[in-house]
Amino acid sequence: MSLVLDAAAQDLLFREARTANTFTDEPVTDEQIQAIYDLVKFGPTAFNQSPLRVVLVRSAEGRERLVQHMAEGNRPKTATAPLVAILAADNEFHEELPALLPHFPQAKDMFFAERPVRESAAGLNAALQAAYFIIGVRAAGLAAGPMTGYDPAGIQKEFLDGDHTPLMVVNIGKPGEDAWFPRSPRLSYDEVIKTV
């Protein structure tokens, strides 16, 4: 059975998807980010908890503060990308549940009263939303360079607070010269999919 999504869209979102390592200096606009969010916000999460929070780093001062917390090999990429997003999990997402889950507002206290439970749920569901975000960046015709090579405590202290856990830093823009490393192998269907 073939997919409903046409081949060009499959290529754009998945087959040609790679982590960009260089970018042009073409800016990424607020309108582009708004369009990305307006698309990916509809991706499902458990209890519609929607715990992803995004800090956009645009200013030179913010960029300098961020770069110092990146792993050495990631610093040049983050320093030169047109836009950088810090993706984080909101561990207090449950405060929004009465509005986000109006048919079941008691879920806030019934399931998420304890902080460790919220942190686990927020981490899983914000990571899911981070994947949606990266696909949304590609749907906007931009390249994404997601990275986890950084000092989490430093980024949390510098840009977030104790209620937000950083998940990844994503460089965003039009791909530059030699943006891609060679495609790495993937596991086969039989290596991944099992039927019981």
Side-chain angles (χ1 to χ4, degrees):
M1 179 176 146
S2 63
L3 299 174
V4 174
L5 199 64
D6 69 56
Q10 293 173 40
D11 288 344
L12 175 69
L13 299 179
F14 294 99
R15 289 193 197 97
E16 298 300 323
R18 310 260 268 297
T19 295
N21 294 290
T22 66
F23 297 90
T24 69
D25 59 3
E26 183 178 332
V28 176
T29 67
D30 289 338
E31 291 77 17
Q32 287 172 301
I33 296 300
Q34 180 76 52
I36 290 165
Y37 177 72
D38 286 342
L39 174 64
V40 304
K41 69 183 179 184
F42 293 109
T45 57
F47 292 95
N48 198 33
Q49 60 190 250
S50 306
L52 182 70
R53 302 295 179 264
V54 181
V55 176
L56 298 176
V57 182
R58 286 196 182 278
S59 70
E61 179 268 336
R63 189 72 58 103
E64 287 178 19
R65 289 169 43 213
L66 176 59
V67 166
Q68 69 180 338
H69 297 292
M70 300 302 296
E72 191 67 36
N74 290 334
R75 289 179 180 180
K77 296 182 272 192
T78 300
T80 58
L83 180 64
V84 183
I86 300 169
L87 305 189
D90 181 358
N91 297 308
E92 297 298 312
F93 69 86
H94 69 307
E95 296 296 342
E96 306 295 336
L97 281 182
L100 292 173
L101 202 64
H103 63 280
F104 189 26
Q106 62 272 31
K108 173 188 171 189
D109 297 316
M110 185 180 294
F111 296 107
F112 301 109
E114 301 295 325
R115 175 70 180 233
V117 173
R118 290 197 305 275
E119 287 178 355
S120 177
L124 176 64
N125 285 278
L128 180 61
Q129 287 186 286
Y132 298 149
F133 182 84
I134 292 166
I135 292 171
V137 167
R138 293 200 49 81
L142 300 168
M147 300 173 295
T148 56
Y150 57 80
D151 171 21
I155 286 182
Q156 184 176 40
K157 182 178 179 183
E158 194 79 37
F159 294 96
L160 304 167
D161 59 32
D163 289 332
H164 294 81
T165 304
L167 299 173
M168 66 184 69
V169 172
V170 183
N171 298 325
I172 303 169
K174 293 284 187 181
E177 189 174 339
D178 299 320
W180 322 114
F181 294 146
R183 168 74 73 194
S184 296
R186 297 298 193 264
L187 296 173
S188 73
Y189 178 91
D190 291 332
E191 290 173 302
V192 175
I193 308 296
K194 303 295 179 196
T195 302
V196 295

